[in-house]
Amino acid sequence: MADNARAKKLADLIREVVAEKLQRGVKDPRLGTHVTITDTRVTGDLREATVFYTVYGDDEDRASAAAGLESAKGVLRSAVGRAAGTKFTPTLTFIADALPENAKTIEDLLDKARASDAQVREASSGATFAGDADPYKKPGEDEAAE
C-alpha cells in the first residue's frame, strides 16, 4: 500500500496529463475545449483513479462529452502510463462533477435569503418602538429622577 503523499502526487500528475491530452492530443469533436478536469483521486493501492470533470454547456453537451471521455479512456490511460512511469497504470473512471449544480443550489438559496431580508427590511421601515426608544436604564438616571 502506497502512502498518501505518493497517491496525491500521482493524482496531480493524472489530472495534468489528462487535461493536456484532452486539449491537444484527442481529436474527438465531442470533447473540444468545453471539458474541464476539476479533481482526480487515486486509491491507496494506486490501482484505480477517479477523474472528476465539468462540461460547459447543456445536458446534450454533457452526454456527448461523457461518451467521448469513455471512448478516449484507453488513449488517456496510455498517456498517463507514459508520464507516470509506474509498474501499473491506474484504470481511469470519469465522473461528472456535481460542483456546478451545488453552486446553483447555493445561489438560489442565497437569492431567497436576500428576498426574505428585503421583505423584513421593508416591513420594519415604518415601525416604531413599543416603549421608549432606549428601554435600558443608565447609571446615574435614578439619582437624577429622585
Side-chain angles (χ1 to χ4, degrees):
M1 183 136 166
D3 58 71
N4 287 337
R6 186 170 178 198
K8 178 72 174 135
K9 284 182 184 178
L10 184 60
D12 290 342
L13 177 73
I14 290 171
R15 185 179 65 240
E16 290 173 12
V17 169
V18 169
E20 181 71 24
K21 192 71 172 169
L22 284 176
Q23 190 167 18
R24 294 206 171 97
V26 178
K27 303 291 187 219
D28 194 341
R30 297 176 290 186
L31 298 175
T33 58
H34 56 275
V35 175
T36 304
I37 304 300
T38 56
D39 192 21
T40 307
R41 295 185 186 149
V42 178
T43 58
D45 61 356
L46 306 179
R47 296 283 182 163
E48 297 177 15
T50 305
V51 180
F52 294 93
Y53 68 95
T54 59
V55 178
Y56 181 74
D58 57 358
D59 290 335
E60 184 179 319
D61 292 335
R62 288 186 194 103
S64 66
L69 286 171
E70 198 62 35
S71 69
K73 188 183 287 189
V75 173
L76 296 172
R77 186 173 180 216
S78 298
V80 167
R82 280 192 300 277
T86 57
K87 184 176 182 179
F88 182 81
T89 303
T91 58
L92 301 177
T93 305
F94 293 97
I95 296 178
D97 200 354
L99 185 70
E101 290 82 18
N102 291 344
K104 179 154 178 40
T105 302
I106 290 172
E107 282 295 323
D108 292 343
L109 291 173
L110 287 173
D111 288 341
K112 283 183 184 178
R114 284 187 198 105
S116 175
D117 287 348
Q119 286 178 344
V120 169
R121 196 175 309 112
E122 184 180 311
S124 66
S125 65
T128 59
F129 294 105
D132 294 332
D134 188 9
Y136 299 105
K137 292 184 179 181
K138 296 183 178 50
E141 282 185 358
D142 290 337
E143 295 143 3
E146 293 174 1

